[in-house]
Amino acid sequence: MKSHINKKSGLGTKSVWAGELDEFPGQASQVPVFHSVTYNYKDLDYWHNVSLGKEEGHIYSRNTNPTVEVFEEKVRALEGAEAATSFSTGMAAISNTLFTFLRPGDRVVSIKDSYGGTSSIFLNFLPPMQVEVSLCETGNHEEMEAEIDKGCKLVYLETPTNPTLKLIDIARIVKKAKEQNALVVVDNTFATPINQNPLTLGADIVLHSATKFLGGHSDAMGGVVCGAKDLVQKIFHYREITGATLHPMSAYLLARGIKTLELRIERQNENAMQLARFLQEQSQVEEVFYPGLESHKHHDVAKKQMHGFGGMLSFSLKGDFEAVKKFLPQLRYAHLAASLGAVGTLAGPPRVTSHVELTAEERAHLGIPEGLVRFSVGIENIEDIKEDILQALKNI
Ligand SMILES: *Cc1c(COP(=O)(O)O)cnc(C)c1O
């Protein structure tokens, strides 16, 4: 019997119970990792019906797998979607979604600040397939609306963005996109379904790198796409044929991580807000970028469409990259690494991570100071993080 989650269940309840069965094989209370490629049928009529999709069941694990299904069901419930399907990574979710819907002659409108891998698909992979891509200044809604007005098949958004947390008003762009019958896809990785639900703002598809906050422990990679059944079915079909399937072990780890999603995000929202205000008071800090601050240039949009402001923030140090080099290695409670969204605080300079391939001028054009530090704030006690930052700032 399936779990008793319904639309009105709270997000914490959904995180824990969505996708869980009353009883798994062997009376197991927790979802087993089904390390099985094949599924065994003695009744040929039943097998036939499962193959035709007339009865529930599994045939081959590139297509579906019971452990993977539990993960998909949790994210589906949290995003309030009709359907969800999963992928081996976030980039697989993004590329499979774009390649499912785009054909030669189509036009896409997106932003300049999307995730590096996504940007690369827009700049290097879609144009040779005769898909026209128009990338707008992130947060310039007038420019984006004008580009959508020229006609487009798909509008691709990401909000908040890396690394200065720029925001896009999802409902406003959806309104314009609907006039062109364009599909609206939103990368909700930074916000998580706890802080933002693009589907309720009118988007057609919401997707995540589950590698980040959903899993929350930096120990498994995955991606997931949610939306209406017919759209998700098309993306699922593309994925089951092209093969970027989520591994059952990763699905298990991600589903286990999701059980604490609401708790973690509440703590990370709280920690990031406190840290942002604390950093504003430090004399070595030039500017703090956090959507929860009144000083943030898209704070009004954040208040309108987000339930919480998230665990990501960035700040620039006076003294540029030389100051960053003295500051970061002194931190005791932060991994200096790529990625984000884990229980442990993680810090890095965009100059050597996400934006390493750009020139200083190009970074300046995107509003990224040379002394910028990005923080993915963890669930540690905030007093310890503050103290750690204070002692590291003294080294500058
Ligand atoms: C990390 C990330 C991705 C890519 O996800 P992978 O799991 O690394 O493939 C996509 N979008 C955003 C916003 C990300 O942070």
Side-chain angles (χ1 to χ4, degrees):
M1 166 126 189
K2 292 262 178 190
S3 73
H4 307 289
I5 288 298
N6 61 51
K7 277 196 176 139
K8 280 187 270 171
S9 308
L11 294 178
T13 311
K14 286 177 177 170
S15 301
V16 174
W17 289 107
E20 306 285 327
L21 305 184
D22 277 354
E23 184 183 284
F24 289 106
Q27 314 299 119
S29 67
Q30 302 304 312
V31 56
V33 186
F34 286 91
H35 282 296
S36 186
V37 170
T38 50
Y39 304 86
N40 191 18
Y41 291 87
K42 287 224 161 57
D43 179 334
L44 293 197
D45 289 331
Y46 179 32
W47 190 3
H48 191 201
N49 281 337
V50 172
S51 291
L52 291 173
K54 287 182 182 167
E55 278 191 76
E56 276 188 35
H58 305 278
I59 300 289
Y60 187 59
S61 275
R62 190 178 68 242
N63 314 338
T64 63
N65 170 284
T67 312
V68 170
E69 234 169 46
V70 172
F71 162 72
E72 292 170 339
E73 177 57 16
K74 284 190 191 296
V75 187
R76 184 204 67 74
L78 289 168
E79 286 290 10
E82 230 174 66
T85 192
S86 61
F87 302 84
S88 52
T89 64
M91 277 317 301
I94 293 165
S95 58
N96 280 228
T97 299
L98 292 171
F99 291 127
T100 295
F101 295 110
L102 295 171
R103 294 291 174 270
D106 285 341
R107 195 162 171 275
V108 188
V109 175
S110 189
I111 51 169
K112 284 190 177 153
D113 291 58
S114 55
Y115 178 74
T118 311
S119 265
S120 185
I121 293 182
F122 288 144
L123 296 171
N124 305 320
F125 290 90
L126 288 174
M129 295 172 64
Q130 278 76 53
V131 174
E132 190 189 325
V133 180
S134 167
L135 301 182
C136 306
E137 291 296 328
T138 310
N140 185 340
H141 293 84
E142 290 76 18
E143 183 193 358
M144 198 160 212
E145 286 169 334
E147 286 302 311
I148 294 169
D149 267 341
K150 292 179 190 165
C152 67
K153 176 79 185 292
L154 191 146
V155 176
Y156 186 96
L157 307 177
E158 184 182 321
T159 176
T161 59
N162 187 45
T164 55
L165 292 305
K166 295 176 193 167
L167 266 63
I168 300 159
D169 185 334
I170 298 173
R172 176 172 169 180
I173 296 300
V174 161
K175 190 159 170 268
K176 193 43 100 178
K178 290 300 122 186
E179 291 173 19
Q180 298 292 334
N181 274 327
L183 278 177
V184 178
V185 179
V186 180
D187 183 336
N188 206 28
T189 301
F190 268 40
T192 81
I194 307 299
N195 286 333
Q196 180 170 278
N197 300 109
L199 297 180
T200 64
L201 298 167
D204 300 292
I205 291 167
V206 56
L207 53 82
H208 291 270
S209 166
T211 313
K212 316 293 171 53
F213 287 101
L214 293 184
H217 294 73
S218 277
D219 58 2
M221 301 198 80
V224 59
V225 168
C226 306
K229 238 182 206 146
D230 59 327
L231 296 176
V232 172
Q233 189 62 30
K234 283 183 185 152
I235 303 168
F236 163 73
H237 191 57
Y238 186 89
R239 190 266 287 158
E240 70 173 337
I241 300 304
T242 53
T245 302
L246 180 61
H247 191 277
M249 189 63 215
S250 299
Y252 170 81
L253 290 167
L254 296 170
R256 174 171 153 138
I258 287 178
K259 290 185 186 184
T260 55
L261 183 68
E262 194 196 37
L263 278 176
R264 285 187 281 113
I265 299 302
E266 281 173 357
R267 174 71 160 240
Q268 282 165 307
N269 286 345
E270 174 75 27
N271 276 358
M273 190 71 229
Q274 283 207 43
L275 196 57
R277 294 210 194 287
F278 170 80
L279 286 164
Q280 276 186 315
E281 292 162 9
Q282 307 310 315
S283 59
Q284 300 93 332
V285 173
E286 181 100 51
E287 190 174 358
V288 182
F289 302 89
Y290 185 62
L293 293 174
E294 295 75 17
S295 59
H296 189 278
K297 65 177 172 181
H298 300 139
H299 180 61
D300 53 334
V301 178
K303 270 196 306 193
K304 197 173 76 162
Q305 72 185 15
M306 299 181 80
H307 321 300
F309 301 118
M312 298 300 300
L313 62 80
S314 60
F315 56 97
S316 52
L317 290 173
K318 291 175 188 163
D320 291 340
F321 192 55
E322 285 309 307
V324 175
K325 278 206 277 197
K326 287 177 188 147
F327 167 72
L328 277 180
Q330 295 297 317
L331 290 173
R332 292 177 298 216
Y333 298 131
H335 280 132
L336 306 190
S339 198
L340 58 107
V343 288
T345 295
L346 202 147
R351 192 179 178 280
V352 304
T353 56
S354 53
H355 295 75
V356 67
E357 280 158 23
L358 305 188
T359 63
E361 290 73 43
E362 286 169 329
R363 281 191 289 269
H365 181 70
L366 288 173
I368 300 170
E370 293 298 282
L372 195 71
V373 174
R374 190 189 75 170
F375 254 65
S376 169
V377 186
I379 63 165
E380 301 93 338
N381 298 99
I382 189 65
E383 292 312 322
D384 292 323
I385 302 179
K386 284 183 188 171
E387 212 179 285
D388 195 22
I389 289 177
L390 268 188
Q391 62 82 23
L393 283 174
K394 287 204 186 101
N395 199 52
I396 299 177

